[in-house]
Amino acid sequence: MSTHASADVHHHEGHDPYLAHHFEDRAQQDEAHSLGLWVFLSTEIMFFGGLFLAFTVYHVLFPEAFGLASSRLSVSWGVINTIVLLVSSFTMAMGVHSAQVGSRKLLLTFLSITLLCAGAFMVIKGIEWTEKYHHHLIPGASFHFDLNDPTAPETQLANWGERREAILIADPHVERHAQMFYVMYFCLTGLHGIHVLIGMGLITWMILRAKRNEFNTRWNTPIELTGLYWHLVDVIWIYLFPLIYLIHRH
Amino acid sequence: MNPQVPSDFDIFPVQASTVAPSVDMFYLFMVGISTFFTIAIPLAIIYFAVKYRRRPGNDKARRVETSTVLEITWTVIPFFIVMGMFFWGSRVYFLHGAEDPNALEILTTGKKWMWKFQHKNGRREINDLHIPVNTPIRLKMASEDVLHSMFVPAFRQKQDVMPGRYTYLNFEATRPGVYHLFCNQYCGTQHSNMIGKVVVMEPGDYQKWLGGFTGDPPEKVGEQLFSSLACNTCHAGDSGARGPVLNGIVGTKVALQGGNIITVDDNYLRESILQPEAKVVAGYQPIMPSFSGVVTQDQVNALIAYIKTLPAGQATGVASAPAPTAAGEAAATATNAETTGSEAVTPAPAVRQDVAPEPENNDAATTAGEAAGSETSAGAAQTTAGEQQGVQ
Amino acid sequence: MSDQASSMRHTEDKIDSTHFAHHIISPKVYLTVIVVLMVLTALTVWVAYQDYSHAWSLANLAIALGLATVKATIVCLWFMHVRYSGRLIQIVIAASLLFFMLMLFGTLMDVWTRHNVTSADYGSPEPTYEQRRDVHLPIGDDKHSH
Amino acid sequence: MSAIDAPNPYQAQSRSSAVEAAATFPNYLNATGGWKSWLFTGDHKRIAILYIITTTIAFLFGGLAAALVRLELLTPQGDLMSGDGYNKAFSAHGIIMVFMFLVPVVPAVLGNFLVPLMIGAKDLAFPKINLMSWYLYMIGTFFGLYAIIAGGVDTGWTFYTPFSTTTNTNVISAAVGVFIIGFSSIFTGFNFIVTVHKMRAPGLTWFRLPLFIWSMYATSLIMILGTPVIGITVLMVAVERLLHLGVFDPAFGGDPLLFQHLFWFYSHPAVYIMILPGFGIISEVIPAFARRNIFGYSFIAMSSLAIAMVGFFVWGHHLFVSGQSAYAGMVFSALSFVIGVPTAIKVFNWTATLYKGSISFETPMLFALFFIGLFLIGGLTGLFLAAMGLDIHLHDTYFVVAHFHYVMVGGMMLAYLAGIHYWWPKISGRMYPEFLGKLSALIVFVGFHITFFPQFVMGYMGMPRQYHEYVAEFQVYHVLSTAGASVLGVGFLMPVVYLTYSWFYGPRVNSNPFKATGLEWQTSSPPPTTNFVEIPVVTVGPYEYADFEENELVHAR
Ligand code: HEA
Ligand code: HEA
Ligand code: CUA
Ligand SMILES: [Cu+2]
């Protein structure tokens, strides 16, 4: 079934310090790494997928409750966070670019901006979560969702009385089901937040390694992989944003 | 009367519903196909194994080309076989699901670990289900806690029961008798004791059971109730029982949870049956269901009378015997002096008032009962015992 | 075949190609991309506030998700270099999305058509979606006292 | 891609010299010493050994729980254990056997050992991640066993809500265990996928890959696409238990069926994780002992992929009576039937491979043939369950229990035993005792039927599963089943004992005792740490036995 290549194939030219012993050459190693990361990202998609599925099912089951609950989120914070995250994605891409062209200074700058944006994102999330706390929108014993709350945006509507009746006919337990929205909201943004934190950790690590001058035009795979991961975090937010903030604004 | 089951080595459960024969037929078909493959393939293997075993003259490796024709054959043929199975299997399924708008609806609640039924006229029962033969029945089911599943092997019927949503089981029994009823969805500690029986009766008997009364003395009635209401599953008196032994308790002192001590008298017994959670015996879980609304005042009296006759220092009843004796069965049919709608409507504990399985008021109950009655007697008239196989 | 094979250090069939690596994309492209993403974000928010006629109540959601998909695709293609990657990586992405979608639709297939199982309350017409929902809940708020 | 290339003199020469050279090399077992060299190894072969030890221990624990279950069921009354005790016993049995034993066993033991060897690579693509996945397995198993030992879990292996979110047993730590073991499995699968794509030896094109590799590849696809979903699902259960948010709680509109969808979206594909690697083993063993090229190579290869794909869309067949919509049920039922076809293709091809062979019946072959016999019944009864009309009656009865033991124990377990015997000389460098091997195969086969066949019958009679006590008329079947289980237990314990013995004292073997064709046989037994002295160059398909034997020089010493 097989023959063996002559010995010199194995003991090939010099030794590349960036080449692990079990790979034949850099091309093989790099491709293995990038394929590996992509395969990992696909597991991430399925991981979030489970939650997205739960969100969708409950959205289908309780459209009114989800609409009402969603409209109590702050769109402006959502928009700001989207922009922050998109910018961070851009700076990350620029960071990878700087690494590829071998500019350590730019690499450090872009990575730092990315890290800052990520931090800002988390701070804003923190603000939003605190707001929810003050409005008793944290699921659990203290949860309180009231269709008659005069401060809620929907109760400002002109025809609210009518709408309220219609909603209650459609879903008499709408106040209870609103909690499900917040459960999903916290699960999704929480899990996403954990990913942002992991990303921040990775970026910090990359900054430290870049400071130690570990990367150059020949060796920047870790930066690329971190970048891929970070973009995925962004992509997930791109879906989360309309799904949780915008489902019922019209 | 014990649940009707075949003797030890039968391989078919009794067929007692309209769908059972068609399920069995399909099952036999599947068994046939499977037997064919389970014999044919190993036979081929054995044949090759013998014919081509390694031996002098056959010790060289060979090359045999793959035959695409063969491959396609054994892809396409099984495909058609399984599609056949799919269509037949689904057809049988839709027989199961088929429902009759005039079906007799019985409200069914599963909870850890018992089945509660409520008939049209308000009569309730626990773990036993009395139904008329040859009448479309529809169980409207919900759970109060976790998932359960209603399974009657003799009917080849099963449906999960869940909290927060009704599910339905439609069937029509074709043979009077007593059949097993199992909880088939794992639900915890007593999952395997969440069993009961289905009593299929002639429609007339069913009507009598629904409203009939008996002239037996109260202790006697109480004894029968004690088993038909499944008191004995918890108060059987063996060491593993879930409830306290009731023998000779009248007049004794009982320690309650919280430290109080109380002397057992009629009022306490009554309260224990109707509101068991009010005074819980020390050392026991408050798992006893409330029988308020399940039993009439007369029946409470009968139960108390029976409990009083229990000799001190001896175990009651048969240990974990969900299947009552023939006498018990017959009497259970005939007790209930005055089960009326209005008395029976008190919602079971933990069932919210506004969403409780809808109680019928007296008139409605009677009408429904009558309707069901005339319906079924008509059905019964067509069916004599000998012809049952033909009715499907 | 064997000549060709022994000249390689390892085997790569067409399907294995990942070749992403060192295609260097100009910063100008990145800049364009981020601008487009911002515009799309603004658009997403704007359309969310538009009211389509009632018959189109799903339209807002569909448009929002459509725009999100456009954005995500742009991020993938340029920021993540998928545009310059080999087939294999594209297959990996497509596969995970496909499987996610199938999980979603498999489950929704049940959720959307569930009332066919519970079926009619006799006498009355098929219960509507809303009727069927937990209007009938036989359990109460008070029950769950966590 | 013609499979036969003319053998060239260079090929033969080089092969034998390579084998010679390898034999004088230190092998992976004695290359370095000390416990650290094992616990911090990156060598896929050593990691495989770590997994052999840990999964075997897991199997013994699971078997112990099975023994308790069977003993309790000897009589209709619950005389051995309390109701809770019994529930904890079968939950422990199911959780250990599925998550800690059968899902990881073949990929992590044989897959780890063989994937690089079979494709002519020096190691898996990510050795450190490979080691990490063993640690994850250990940590997860620790959590799981902790849950089971410190008070127990009584949810069954399926963790159905709302029971699992309300029972007062150690569900959280069991869920955390399952979550972590899940990641172990994701990393294994991801390593295999990258390795198979990127590290094949020169000339080893996709259609020259051994079928074991194809099946490991298909398995890996399931692992990476399915496992994350069970991860997030058990996480939600844990969160629900901790915080009572109502994710699956109907009081807040939570949908218990959603849990079931999520659970089975993983767990049905997972049953194919539990059988595809077995198919791979059988596809290696049968040609080796029939000395024939396998019949329908590409059909078997493609059917693995087809099973992995279609296997994702049949999960709803576990929900036929749970309140799922009838339309969804129809779709899932039809697809479940469809999946029987690629499986049938495999069975037919294995059988046809015997045709015109030169068959011998060493232990691996016996296990492989018994595998076909048992899996056949398991698979065909799967079709009973896939039929909606019949599943209404059979769901959650002992018929299902019998079905899945036929496929999991009769199928995968026997395949694993076939594989572990077949590659034992390669793994340990020593031979197993042939007579004891055949004897245990026979005992397992007989014991298995006695144990599980009666369960089909009582299942159809209506005996529900997960029953601590049962009505007396089922006792006959239960007694038979318990009797069979003791025979079966002996059959399973034998290999544990004699293989351990053989590891230390068995007779040494040459590099290719079964004269098989795979690349793994082209290096010494046990192989050197870097697997091959020289990287092999592949010129023909994997099962060219005729070709191989013509070439006198191949018979390595
Ligand atoms: C290794 C694991 C494994 C495998 C391979 C299978 C294979 C199959 N299983 Fe099984 N199954 C389980 C493990 C497995 N199963 C487990 C663990 C459960 C219970 C879970 C629980 O509730 O705890 C279960 C439960 C289960 C159910 C749910 C039962 C219920 O709870 O009500 C169903 C229903 O459709 C089913 C179907 C099938 C089918 C159609 C196949 C098919 O893939 C089988 C295909 C094989 C063949 C068809 C045989 C070979 C073919 C021939 C010899 C040729 C002749 C063939 C034709 C004519 C088609 N299985
Ligand atoms: C890989 C999977 C696997 C394997 C190998 C087995 C193996 C066995 N199983 Fe298991 N089984 C399951 C997976 C498996 N099972 C699953 C998933 C369930 C469902 C659980 C649930 O409902 O949640 C189940 C449920 C299940 C039940 C149903 C319980 C119920 O529903 O009430 C029964 C009953 O007979 C049973 C029996 C057996 C037997 C007799 C064996 C035999 O093959 C075992 C033979 C082996 C031995 C007997 C081991 C010998 C070892 C010792 C005796 C101990 C020595 C120990 C030490 C030194 C520590 N199993
Ligand atoms: Cu109720 Cu099992
Ligand atoms: Cu399945």
Side-chain angles (χ1 to χ4, degrees):
Chain A
M1 160 174 183
S2 74
T3 66
H4 289 83
S6 49
D8 59 349
V9 173
H10 177 56
H11 304 290
H12 49 78
E13 70 282 329
H15 200 70
D16 184 339
Y18 303 119
L19 181 62
H21 81 281
H22 57 292
F23 288 113
E24 291 302 318
D25 52 35
R26 273 299 295 284
Q28 189 191 23
Q29 172 171 322
D30 287 354
E31 291 185 9
H33 281 153
S34 84
L35 175 62
L37 201 88
W38 275 105
V39 171
F40 178 72
L41 294 188
S42 71
T43 70
E44 286 278 17
I45 290 177
M46 295 307 287
F47 194 66
F48 272 96
L51 272 184
F52 273 108
L53 170 64
F55 179 90
T56 312
V57 166
Y58 289 130
H59 188 186
V60 169
L61 287 176
F62 314 124
E64 301 83 10
F66 268 50
L68 286 178
S70 157
S71 57
R72 294 205 182 172
L73 298 179
S74 152
V75 182
S76 27
W77 280 133
V79 173
I80 292 173
N81 250 351
T82 308
I83 293 173
V84 168
L85 216 51
L86 284 176
V87 168
S88 80
S89 231
F90 167 71
T91 54
M92 190 74 220
M94 289 305 294
V96 173
H97 177 81
S98 322
Q100 284 171 341
V101 300
S103 160
R104 190 166 76 105
K105 235 183 97 196
L106 278 179
L107 170 62
L108 280 171
T109 320
F110 280 123
L111 285 184
S112 309
I113 302 179
T114 314
L115 189 61
L116 271 178
C117 287
F121 179 88
M122 286 314 290
V123 170
I124 293 174
K125 271 266 93 73
I127 296 176
E128 284 193 78
W129 285 337
T130 330
E131 244 171 43
K132 300 285 131 5
Y133 175 77
H134 289 308
H135 289 104
H136 300 288
L137 293 179
I138 307 270
S142 66
F143 184 83
H144 182 73
F145 189 93
D146 191 350
L147 282 191
N148 301 317
D149 181 354
T151 58
E154 71 272 5
T155 51
Q156 319 295 323
L157 293 174
N159 57 351
W160 174 239
E162 246 170 71
R163 277 211 187 193
R164 194 172 156 280
E165 289 315 304
I167 288 171
L168 280 174
I169 287 169
D171 184 355
H173 299 292
V174 68
E175 291 171 357
R176 192 140 45 99
H177 293 153
Q179 171 162 343
M180 190 59 83
F181 175 83
Y182 287 98
V183 171
M184 287 294 123
Y185 167 79
F186 281 104
C187 285
L188 280 164
T189 54
L191 190 67
H192 181 259
I194 292 174
H195 280 76
V196 173
L197 289 179
I198 295 173
M200 288 171 72
L202 288 176
I203 296 169
T204 315
W205 186 30
M206 289 307 126
I207 292 178
L208 294 179
R209 289 176 70 176
K211 282 216 173 111
R212 275 189 259 127
N213 217 348
E214 276 188 32
F215 305 116
N216 51 45
T217 47
R218 257 178 72 66
W219 175 246
N220 46 46
T221 319
I223 304 270
E224 272 167 18
L225 300 187
T226 309
L228 284 179
Y229 175 85
W230 189 251
H231 295 308
L232 182 87
V233 172
D234 187 24
V235 166
I236 289 171
W237 181 258
I238 286 177
Y239 279 99
L240 276 184
F241 169 61
L243 273 183
I244 59 186
Y245 287 87
L246 299 179
I247 42 182
H248 204 74
R249 295 290 169 182
H250 46 282
Chain B
M1 182 178 5
N2 268 318
Q4 269 193 13
V5 288
S7 63
D8 278 354
F9 251 96
D10 271 346
I11 53 170
F12 270 100
V14 279
Q15 296 180 337
S17 75
T18 46
V19 293
S22 53
V23 174
D24 286 350
M25 189 59 112
F26 178 59
Y27 177 69
L28 281 179
F29 163 75
M30 295 294 291
V31 170
I33 301 246
S34 304
T35 314
F36 171 75
F37 282 104
T38 347
I39 289 175
I41 293 176
L43 265 189
I45 290 179
I46 292 169
Y47 175 75
F48 289 153
V50 173
K51 178 142 188 231
Y52 300 111
R53 69 187 181 279
R54 193 170 306 161
R55 58 180 190 276
N58 183 29
D59 53 2
K60 280 267 175 302
R62 277 204 208 94
R63 211 192 134 69
V64 178
E65 289 303 329
T66 297
S67 150
T68 313
V69 176
L70 257 184
E71 297 287 349
I72 291 176
T73 316
W74 63 47
T75 307
V76 172
I77 294 182
F79 181 78
F80 282 110
I81 298 179
V82 293
M83 281 303 112
M85 292 173 175
F86 167 64
F87 283 116
W88 190 344
S90 304
R91 238 189 75 82
V92 173
Y93 175 84
F94 285 103
L95 284 180
H96 278 270
E99 58 200 45
D100 193 320
N102 300 317
L104 180 63
E105 188 171 87
I106 298 171
L107 293 170
T108 304
T109 311
K111 72 171 267 198
K112 285 178 186 170
W113 288 277
M114 66 187 64
W115 292 105
K116 301 193 283 191
F117 302 98
Q118 186 182 16
H119 293 262
K120 272 269 133 170
N121 73 345
R123 168 134 197 205
R124 289 165 176 256
E125 48 184 337
I126 285 187
N127 287 349
D128 292 352
L129 173 61
H130 289 78
I131 51 163
V133 72
N134 295 326
T135 311
I137 308 281
R138 173 185 172 79
L139 301 184
K140 181 174 181 184
M141 308 186 294
S143 163
E144 284 181 18
D145 36 45
V146 299
L147 303 179
H148 302 277
S149 183
M150 165 69 65
F151 178 33
V152 185
F155 297 167
R156 314 286 186 275
Q157 285 287 16
K158 174 184 301 152
Q159 172 62 53
D160 279 10
V161 177
M162 52 188 127
R165 188 176 141 196
Y166 282 124
T167 48
Y168 301 86
L169 193 67
N170 302 295
F171 56 86
E172 183 176 335
T174 52
R175 245 172 90 160
V178 183
Y179 308 104
H180 285 301
L181 175 164
F182 294 126
C183 173
N184 196 70
Q185 171 63 52
Y186 175 66
C187 55
T189 316
Q190 300 284 346
H191 165 57
S192 62
N193 292 330
M194 192 168 159
I195 66 182
K197 55 194 168 26
V198 182
V199 183
V200 180
M201 318 163 104
E202 292 300 341
D205 291 344
Y206 174 70
Q207 286 309 317
K208 250 189 257 151
W209 175 84
L210 271 184
F213 67 92
T214 170
D216 282 345
E219 312 86 70
K220 189 87 197 307
V221 174
E223 180 178 7
Q224 288 144 1
L225 280 170
F226 201 72
S227 69
S228 68
L229 291 171
C231 312
N232 59 354
T233 57
C234 296
H235 297 288
D238 61 77
S239 53
R242 288 172 281 164
V245 180
L246 301 179
N247 292 36
I249 60 165
V250 182
T252 61
K253 293 209 182 335
V254 174
L256 299 181
Q257 255 172 42
N260 287 345
I261 301 210
I262 200 169
T263 308
V264 178
D265 57 16
D266 284 11
N267 269 329
Y268 169 72
L269 288 179
R270 182 172 187 281
E271 194 185 25
S272 291
I273 297 168
L274 297 178
Q275 284 133 23
E277 68 279 25
K279 298 201 176 76
V280 178
V281 183
Y284 287 91
Q285 295 294 312
I287 52 165
M288 175 166 161
S290 163
F291 286 84
S292 138
V294 179
V295 288
T296 61
Q297 187 50 50
D298 289 355
Q299 288 173 324
V300 175
N301 294 342
L303 277 168
I304 295 176
Y306 169 65
I307 291 172
K308 284 181 174 167
T309 65
L310 290 174
Q314 206 180 309
T316 23
V318 203
S320 61
T325 57
E329 192 44 57
T333 313
T335 35
N336 307 314
E338 303 134 1
T339 311
T340 60
S342 58
E343 264 202 68
V345 294
T346 323
V351 174
R352 244 181 18 185
Q353 191 78 41
D354 57 327
V355 292
E358 61 261 24
E360 254 72 346
N361 63 34
N362 263 336
D363 299 351
T366 329
T367 337
E370 272 165 19
S374 52
E375 250 270 3
T376 51
S377 43
Q382 300 168 358
T383 324
T384 61
E387 289 168 10
Q388 279 169 13
Q389 289 303 343
V391 184
Q392 281 188 18
Chain C
M1 188 74 215
S2 70
D3 302 27
Q4 188 204 335
S6 47
S7 67
M8 286 194 280
R9 299 233 176 84
H10 55 92
T11 302
E12 197 163 272
D13 283 356
K14 244 189 240 132
I15 182 108
D16 297 313
S17 77
T18 39
H19 300 301
F20 97 111
H22 306 285
H23 187 97
I24 298 183
I25 303 174
S26 127
K28 270 191 209 138
V29 176
Y30 288 147
L31 236 120
T32 323
V33 167
I34 183 70
V35 170
V36 172
L37 287 176
M38 291 299 174
V39 172
L40 286 174
T41 304
L43 192 63
T44 310
V45 177
W46 183 75
V47 295
Y49 281 92
Q50 303 313 302
D51 205 352
Y52 306 96
S53 72
H54 192 69
W56 288 91
S57 61
L58 267 180
N60 286 74
L61 191 63
I63 294 175
L65 287 180
L67 284 171
T69 305
V70 174
K71 283 164 73 182
T73 314
I74 292 175
V75 172
C76 276
L77 288 182
W78 281 282
F79 282 173
M80 299 173 94
H81 302 188
V82 171
R83 192 152 178 247
Y84 310 95
S85 314
R87 275 276 279 298
L88 182 55
I89 291 200
Q90 288 159 4
I91 292 175
V92 169
I93 301 170
S96 58
L97 290 179
L98 179 80
F99 278 79
F100 168 64
M101 294 303 251
L102 287 164
M103 170 167 81
L104 196 66
F105 283 111
T107 307
L108 288 181
M109 189 163 73
D110 167 28
V111 175
W112 277 331
T113 60
R114 226 177 245 173
H115 56 285
N116 292 301
V117 163
T118 54
S119 192
D121 274 319
Y122 58 80
S124 66
E126 286 261 290
T128 63
Y129 209 59
E130 281 71 26
Q131 279 176 324
R132 184 178 49 77
R133 257 182 353 215
D134 45 359
V135 181
H136 296 295
L137 280 182
I139 51 163
D141 318 53
D142 43 352
K143 226 201 102 230
H144 285 259
S145 46
H146 317 297
Chain D
M1 234 155 291
S2 127
I4 318 180
D5 283 16
N8 64 29
Y10 170 76
Q11 173 189 359
Q13 201 183 4
S14 131
R15 186 191 286 134
S16 70
S17 65
V19 169
E20 286 292 296
T24 60
F25 241 66
N27 65 47
Y28 79 101
L29 292 171
N30 62 17
T32 50
W35 60 271
K36 274 193 194 151
S37 76
W38 283 88
L39 290 186
F40 299 111
T41 182
D43 183 351
H44 65 103
K45 301 181 287 303
R46 286 194 163 196
I47 295 171
I49 301 293
L50 295 177
Y51 268 118
I52 291 192
I53 298 169
T54 47
T55 49
T56 305
I57 294 174
F59 174 73
L60 290 177
F61 273 111
L64 191 66
L68 289 177
V69 166
R70 281 311 337 159
L71 273 181
E72 169 67 79
L73 293 176
L74 201 51
T75 58
Q77 305 81 28
D79 21 31
L80 184 63
M81 292 174 251
S82 64
D84 284 329
Y86 179 80
N87 296 345
K88 288 171 183 171
F90 76 70
S91 305
H93 170 63
I95 292 172
I96 294 178
M97 284 298 197
V98 170
F99 295 110
M100 301 170 195
F101 176 66
L102 208 60
V103 166
V105 68
V106 174
V109 174
L110 295 175
N112 253 333
F113 196 92
L114 294 167
V115 166
L117 280 168
M118 282 184 161
I119 65 171
K122 289 184 204 147
D123 204 322
L124 288 173
F126 306 105
K128 283 190 196 130
I129 289 182
N130 196 18
L131 180 64
M132 183 171 90
S133 83
W134 181 72
Y135 278 103
L136 286 175
Y137 170 81
M138 290 305 285
I139 298 170
T141 303
F142 171 79
F143 272 100
L145 287 183
Y146 166 79
I148 286 162
I149 290 164
V153 187
D154 67 346
T155 56
W157 78 283
T158 51
F159 296 103
Y160 269 23
T161 56
F163 183 75
S164 63
T165 52
T166 51
T167 174
N168 51 9
T169 53
N170 294 332
V171 180
I172 293 187
S173 71
V176 170
V178 169
F179 180 81
I180 296 174
I181 294 178
F183 272 87
S184 154
S185 156
I186 289 176
F187 286 129
T188 303
F190 136 103
N191 228 330
F192 286 171
I193 289 188
V194 176
T195 308
V196 172
H197 270 291
K198 291 296 169 191
M199 303 187 63
R200 302 191 308 276
L204 190 52
T205 54
W206 279 89
F207 284 90
R208 286 177 184 173
L209 284 174
L211 289 167
F212 181 74
I213 298 293
W214 275 104
S215 72
M216 285 312 310
Y217 184 80
T219 309
S220 306
L221 287 180
I222 303 177
M223 285 173 155
I224 61 157
L225 291 170
T227 319
V229 179
I230 188 81
I232 195 74
T233 310
V234 295
L235 215 57
M236 282 195 253
V237 169
V239 167
E240 167 82 28
R241 274 187 75 85
L242 272 176
L243 307 174
H244 304 296
L245 301 179
V247 190
F248 302 121
D249 182 349
F252 298 99
D255 183 1
L257 278 191
L258 174 64
F259 172 84
Q260 295 176 28
H261 279 294
L262 285 165
F263 181 85
W264 290 112
F265 180 81
Y266 164 74
S267 291
H268 182 82
V271 310
Y272 295 112
I273 297 181
M274 296 187 254
I275 198 67
L276 281 171
F279 291 164
I281 294 170
I282 302 305
S283 308
E284 297 296 317
V285 169
I286 289 188
F289 293 93
R291 314 234 39 90
R292 251 210 53 187
N293 59 322
I294 195 149
F295 201 85
Y297 170 87
S298 49
F299 291 88
I300 298 186
M302 286 302 124
S303 68
S304 291
L305 289 187
I307 291 173
M309 299 291 151
V310 184
F312 268 103
F313 313 117
V314 306
W315 77 83
H317 67 210
H318 296 271
L319 282 74
F320 287 154
V321 300
S322 68
Q324 173 183 248
S325 107
Y327 294 145
M330 291 265 284
V331 175
F332 286 125
S333 167
L335 289 168
S336 308
F337 277 111
V338 168
I339 211 161
V341 175
T343 320
I345 293 176
K346 282 179 192 283
V347 174
F348 292 132
N349 277 306
W350 291 325
T351 310
T353 303
L354 299 176
Y355 173 68
K356 285 197 178 168
S358 162
I359 308 166
S360 67
F361 301 95
E362 276 86 2
T363 310
M365 185 63 160
L366 271 193
F367 272 118
L369 295 180
F370 288 157
F371 162 94
I372 300 184
L374 297 183
F375 175 76
L376 198 60
I377 299 182
L380 286 165
T381 50
L383 299 179
F384 287 55
L385 299 170
M388 292 169 89
L390 210 45
D391 190 59
I392 298 269
H393 179 56
L394 294 174
H395 173 74
D396 271 0
T397 62
Y398 263 76
F399 194 94
V400 177
V401 175
H403 155 68
F404 67 72
H405 283 91
Y406 263 85
V407 277
M408 299 208 293
V409 186
M412 183 68 149
M413 191 66 199
L414 260 72
Y416 175 59
L417 285 172
I420 202 89
H421 283 91
Y422 179 55
W423 283 292
W424 187 254
K426 185 54 63 187
I427 295 173
S428 68
R430 294 170 189 271
M431 202 55 176
Y432 59 84
E434 187 61 57
F435 173 75
L436 287 179
K438 283 183 178 157
L439 187 65
S440 84
L442 206 68
I443 294 180
V444 167
F445 186 70
V446 173
F448 185 87
H449 275 302
I450 307 177
T451 313
F452 293 108
F453 201 83
Q455 297 188 355
F456 282 127
V457 183
M458 74 171 135
Y460 198 74
M461 297 285 290
M463 166 78 206
R465 65 190 277 207
Q466 300 168 324
Y467 259 33
H468 166 225
E469 301 177 333
Y470 53 89
V471 289
E473 65 251 30
F474 296 121
Q475 189 173 8
V476 197
Y477 309 106
H478 276 299
V479 170
L480 271 176
S481 185
T482 304
S486 22
V487 178
L488 188 57
V490 173
F492 283 145
L493 284 179
M494 277 173 63
V496 178
V497 175
Y498 66 69
L499 288 183
T500 314
Y501 175 86
S502 151
W503 179 267
F504 297 106
Y505 309 110
R508 291 193 184 273
V509 289
N510 62 29
S511 65
N512 192 355
F514 299 122
K515 304 199 180 63
T517 52
L519 283 188
E520 76 272 24
W521 302 107
Q522 313 284 303
T523 184
S524 56
S525 306
T529 303
T530 50
N531 292 349
F532 299 96
V533 176
E534 294 162 8
I535 292 175
V537 174
V538 181
T539 54
V540 295
Y543 305 106
E544 297 306 331
Y545 278 91
D547 208 24
F548 183 76
E549 283 187 359
E550 255 166 47
N551 207 325
E552 285 297 305
L553 282 164
V554 299
H555 295 246
R557 297 120 279 260

